[in-house]
Structure formats: structure tokens, C-alpha cells
Amino acid sequence: MEPTQPTSEDRAPTPKPKLAEALKTVDNKELKSTGFWLNQVFLVLSTIFGVYLAAQSGLEQALKFDTYSKMEDNFYLRTSLYDEVKDNAANVRAYAERLAKSPPSSEMQYHKPNLEQYIWQTMQYSPTTLETPSIFLTQIRRFYSRAEFVIEAALKRQMSARQASLELNKIADIIELQTLPKLQASALNLQNELKKNDIIIGSLKDTNNAN
């Protein structure tokens, strides 16, 4: 028995091309319009420009924050250094007054001033140290170096007590009358500069709020 050939009714219908039908619905006039492409170009350009402005604004804000943060840190650094050196200068002057009376060696050794240098030594690890004017760093370094030299010379009797007293008073005069007032003024300048930019120093580090 020969196999029967399928009739046209038995065959599956051939699917119509959907892509061709979809293309027929596209408005070719709109694609060919100059205004359409200009709108697309302007849209892309405006997006790029908006992203650029946002990036620039973010970078500017980040730089300002970094600058003001360093200024605040340096304000605290200069203020702390001022207090420390002021105390040390007062101790040097008090020791000079004692030496002026030519006390015995035992008394000179017993009352030898202890020059606190916690802030001074810690500054070598601070990234804001070199933002402090070099004149202050130089004068304070000389103050410590010269004061320690004179005190040791007096204790070892390499310099008379009266002469050491005169030398220490000179050293104290320089640091108290020249260096410290300018150091304090420089710290206040930083504070005023921050105030101009609506940044109040100590608002987040106020010790009165510490419990």
C-alpha cells in the first residue's frame, strides 16, 4: 500500500514574518527627521555635561573639606604647642631666679626644671606639623636646645650659677616676648579663617560635652 501524500489542508500554516510586520509600523519619517537626531545629540551631551558638573562639584567639596580639616588640626596643634612651651618658659625663668642666688649644687640639682616636650616630640608624627610656619619650629627648637645646654653647664659647674641665670632669662625673654605671641596669633588666624567659612572650631571636640 503506497503512502498517501499530505494535502494542502493537512500542512501547518507558514508563520508570517513578524519582523517585517514590525518594520512596517515604524515611522520612517521620524527617523529621517533632523530634529529627532538633534534631540538625541542634545540629550547625550546634556547627560555628559551633567555628570561632569556633578563630578567637579564633588571634587571641589572634597578638597574644601580636606583643607578645612587640616586647618582645624593645625589650630589644635599650634594651641597645644603654645601651652606647652609657655609652661616650659615659666619653669626656665623660675629656675633662673633660683640660680641668681648661687645655691649649692644639691639644691640646683633638686630643683632642675623638667621641660615637658610631649607635644613637641609628638609633632614629628603629625602630618600637619610642616604646615606650621617654620619660624616657630626653629625658634622653639633653639629654645629647648639652648635652655638644656645652659642648665647642664650650670649643674656641671662649667658655667657659674649667676651667669646661667642671666642666660636663661635671655632665653625666656625671647620665647615669651617674641615667639609665643606670634604663635598664638597664628592659631587665632586659623580660627578666624574657619569662622569665615561657617566652621566653628571645637563644635565636635568640645571638652565640656565629654562625659
Side-chain angles (χ1 to χ4, degrees):
M1 183 176 181
E2 296 182 357
T4 59
Q5 297 291 330
T7 64
S8 58
E9 294 180 354
D10 296 331
R11 295 175 184 172
T14 303
K16 295 182 179 180
K18 296 182 179 180
L19 180 60
E21 292 182 359
L23 291 176
K24 291 180 180 179
T25 62
V26 176
D27 189 355
N28 293 329
K29 293 182 179 180
E30 182 179 358
L31 292 177
K32 296 179 181 178
S33 173
T34 304
F36 171 80
W37 290 110
L38 286 177
N39 288 336
Q40 297 302 310
V41 171
F42 286 139
L43 179 62
V44 172
L45 291 178
S46 62
T47 302
I48 295 175
F49 188 63
V51 172
Y52 171 78
L53 290 179
Q56 284 293 104
S57 178
L59 177 61
E60 183 179 354
Q61 291 299 321
L63 291 175
K64 284 184 178 180
F65 176 81
D66 183 65
T67 299
Y68 295 147
S69 179
K70 288 182 178 179
M71 288 177 64
E72 184 177 20
D73 290 342
N74 199 250
F75 166 81
Y76 285 113
L77 181 71
R78 297 185 197 186
T79 303
S80 299
L81 182 62
Y82 170 85
D83 292 336
E84 182 178 79
V85 176
K86 182 180 179 181
D87 291 343
N88 286 331
N91 291 335
V92 166
R93 192 176 293 281
Y95 192 63
E97 293 177 1
R98 185 176 297 276
L99 293 182
K101 302 175 183 178
S102 298
S105 298
S106 59
E107 182 178 344
M108 291 171 58
Q109 184 65 46
Y110 181 78
H111 292 283
K112 175 185 176 182
N114 182 25
L115 302 182
E116 299 290 344
Q117 299 185 37
Y118 174 77
I119 301 299
W120 179 249
Q121 293 176 354
T122 303
M123 285 174 63
Q124 62 183 308
Y125 304 108
S126 173
T128 60
T129 295
L130 296 182
E131 295 179 16
T132 304
S134 60
I135 182 115
F136 300 135
L137 302 179
T138 299
Q139 291 177 348
I140 292 171
R141 175 180 57 79
R142 290 174 180 172
F143 163 71
Y144 283 131
S145 177
R146 184 61 181 168
E148 290 172 352
F149 172 80
V150 172
I151 292 171
E152 289 299 322
L155 291 174
K156 295 177 181 179
R157 294 301 183 179
Q158 296 172 343
M159 181 184 296
S160 68
R162 289 183 178 275
Q163 183 61 33
S165 175
L166 295 174
E167 292 294 327
L168 290 177
N169 276 317
K170 289 180 183 179
I171 296 169
D173 284 341
I174 293 174
I175 204 71
E176 288 180 339
L177 301 179
Q178 297 181 23
T179 307
L180 288 178
K182 293 179 180 179
L183 178 59
Q184 186 180 41
S186 71
L188 293 176
N189 287 338
L190 288 178
Q191 185 179 39
N192 292 332
E193 185 64 26
L194 290 170
K195 282 183 178 180
K196 291 179 182 178
N197 293 277
D198 299 325
I199 299 175
I200 305 301
I201 288 181
S203 58
L204 299 178
K205 301 177 183 179
D206 189 357
T207 55
N208 294 326
N209 295 329
N211 294 319

